[in-house]
Amino acid sequence: MKIAAAIAVSCALGLAGCSAIAAKTNVLSDTKIISSSAGVLGLEPSQLTLVSKRVDGTNTYANLKAAGGREYTCVINGGNLLSMGMTNPPMCSKKGEPVNAQPFQR
């Protein structure tokens, strides 16, 4: 039982360390966030402005504002040392609505 507990604690600490490494090595530029999010939203990058972003582990959360005042929230997974800089396509929704893995619906 002690061995199982030690393994569980080691795994938990290892995963916490991976999350910290991912957050500290994030290489997603504002331009990359806008460009990839615009593609998912069906907009041109010039139509979007990055309002704010935050990195938590392997995810980058971005708030974007489109020309005309529409606001969106996007989550981009990857873009760090652990993913070798690669990202998954952003998952976006209208601001105030939950973000899910379904394709964006206008």
Side-chain angles (χ1 to χ4, degrees):
M1 209 51 157
K2 290 182 181 182
I3 293 174
I7 291 172
V9 168
S10 295
C11 287
L13 291 175
L15 290 175
C18 288
S19 179
I21 290 169
K24 291 181 181 183
T25 61
N26 186 289
V27 294
L28 285 177
S29 67
D30 293 356
T31 304
K32 173 73 174 171
I33 292 169
I34 290 171
S35 177
S36 58
S37 298
V40 169
L41 295 170
L43 300 170
E44 292 294 322
S46 61
Q47 295 176 290
L48 287 176
T49 303
L50 181 63
V51 176
S52 65
K53 70 177 178 180
R54 109 183 129 78
V55 176
D56 186 10
T58 59
N59 291 324
T60 299
Y61 300 88
N63 292 316
L64 302 154
K65 190 170 193 171
R70 294 170 296 180
E71 295 186 47
Y72 301 97
T73 302
C74 296
V75 180
I76 304 171
N77 178 262
N80 52 57
L81 180 64
L82 297 178
S83 66
M84 295 180 281
M86 295 183 290
T87 62
N88 289 312
M91 294 180 293
C92 298
S93 69
K94 294 176 186 172
K95 186 176 180 181
E97 294 180 4
V99 176
N100 59 38
Q102 302 300 316
F104 180 75
Q105 300 290 320
R106 287 185 189 229

